[in-house]
Amino acid sequence: DVVLAIARRLVKLIGAEPGMKAVMTRNSDHFVSLGGRVAIARRVKAHLLVSIHADAWVKSNVRGSSVFALSQKGATSAAARWLAKNQNESATVNKQVATVLVDMTSTWTIGYSLGLGAAVLDELRSINRLHKGKVEQAGFAVLKGQGIPSILVETAFISNPTEEQLLKNANHQQKLAQAILTGIKKQLAADKTLVEQG
């Protein structure tokens, strides 16, 4: 109800941009495995992979937006490590999919992902409190899209009553989608490499 709505809004915004096209890993309320999401991104030769989430925690007062990128060296915090472990264990990865989930070793790819994440996080800062003031890193399976710069956006904490209401609000969803797009455009403007490849 929340992240799919935000993703659809982002797709519309991207579709209105010249030279940009969005492909969704799902367009209805059904589960796509983490490996399946990466496989879709690879199949369409995606230049970027953006995974949109709503965070949750056992304490309802925890709040804020976060952005994650892949880490080669492990998680940047205990929370990032726990979140990645929790997300990764939610899917069964068979041998065929495991070949898709090859660890990214490209310094450029991770560096680009960090730059993209920072640009998106900076935009999110203007519409919501940040849970962490910098891009966190962890070994999320969905971010291991071999050679594809990837970020995971935690829009807000759906377990926080105030943020839950924001996440359900159409205007706020639009602001989140616009913030993600603006961050993407700022990163593309800062580094024309992906545009030139297209």
Side-chain angles (χ1 to χ4, degrees), residues 50-194:
V50 178
S51 187
I52 300 172
H53 295 254
D55 216 336
W57 192 244
V58 292
K59 295 181 180 178
S60 62
N61 64 330
V62 178
R63 61 176 300 175
S65 302
S66 304
V67 178
F68 290 83
L70 186 67
S71 170
Q72 289 176 289
K73 301 175 182 177
T76 51
S77 71
R81 186 166 38 256
W82 179 89
L83 189 58
K85 182 177 183 293
N86 183 273
Q87 289 278 332
N88 294 347
E89 287 178 353
S90 70
T92 303
V93 182
N94 61 30
K95 288 182 181 177
Q96 182 182 5
V97 174
T99 61
V100 174
L101 299 177
V102 177
D103 284 343
M104 282 194 296
T105 55
S106 167
T107 302
W108 178 86
T109 303
I110 291 179
Y112 198 95
S113 299
L114 287 169
L116 174 62
V120 170
L121 194 64
D122 195 47
E123 294 303 313
L124 290 172
R125 182 189 316 271
S126 66
I127 59 170
N128 194 32
R129 179 187 302 180
L130 297 184
H131 183 60
K132 295 284 184 177
K134 64 177 187 174
V135 179
E136 293 210 78
Q137 291 182 266
F140 287 98
V142 75
L143 298 182
K144 296 180 181 179
Q146 189 177 15
I148 304 171
S150 308
I151 59 170
L152 187 150
V153 179
E154 292 285 5
T155 52
F157 278 81
I158 203 161
S159 53
N160 178 295
T162 302
E163 291 198 338
E164 178 191 11
Q165 291 307 308
L166 284 173
L167 287 171
K168 289 164 38 175
N169 179 280
N171 288 336
H172 191 74
Q173 290 175 0
Q174 188 69 24
K175 287 179 183 178
L176 287 166
Q178 185 62 59
I180 294 169
L181 175 62
T182 302
I184 290 170
K185 289 173 66 177
K186 283 186 176 178
Q187 177 64 8
L188 289 173
D191 183 347
K192 301 287 186 186
T193 307
L194 287 184

